[in-house]
Amino acid sequence: ELVRYPELARQAGLEGLVVVQVIVEPDGTPSNPVIMRSAGELLDRAAIEAVSKTRFKPGRQPGQPVRVSYAVPVRFRLRDASR
């Protein structure tokens, strides 16, 4: 829901999979996004923006929330871009 297909990417017919690695903080907020798999600068930026707005369930160790690293796949397909 948070992913916005960039208009320039749509017009250029760009599609692909972006994998963004983030650190999920104990409060569920993502930090330090890094592109692990790129689909081009336009789609990479849109993926980072969407992942940065997402709230995650933090990892837990003995019942306490802890920081964890998580890889988030974001797929861009033109047939899904009607929004």
Side-chain angles (χ1 to χ4, degrees):
E1 293 177 9
L2 298 173
V3 178
R4 298 269 184 220
Y5 213 114
E7 188 58 36
L8 285 175
R10 185 184 315 209
Q11 290 172 1
L14 298 177
E15 295 183 317
L17 175 68
V18 178
V19 177
V20 181
Q21 181 174 321
V22 294
I23 301 299
V24 177
E25 300 293 341
D27 66 357
T29 59
S31 65
N32 302 337
V34 175
I35 298 295
M36 301 304 290
R37 178 176 173 169
S38 176
E41 187 177 344
L42 289 171
L43 298 181
D44 292 353
R45 278 190 274 150
I48 285 177
E49 184 178 324
V51 170
S52 295
K53 292 178 182 177
T54 302
R55 293 299 167 254
F56 296 87
K57 187 174 183 179
R60 290 195 165 297
Q61 284 187 343
Q64 300 297 317
V66 294
R67 296 175 87 203
V68 294
S69 178
Y70 186 63
V72 182
V74 182
R75 184 169 304 282
F76 291 90
R77 285 189 216 138
L78 286 172
R79 67 174 185 251
D80 294 339
S82 57
R83 319 180 227 152

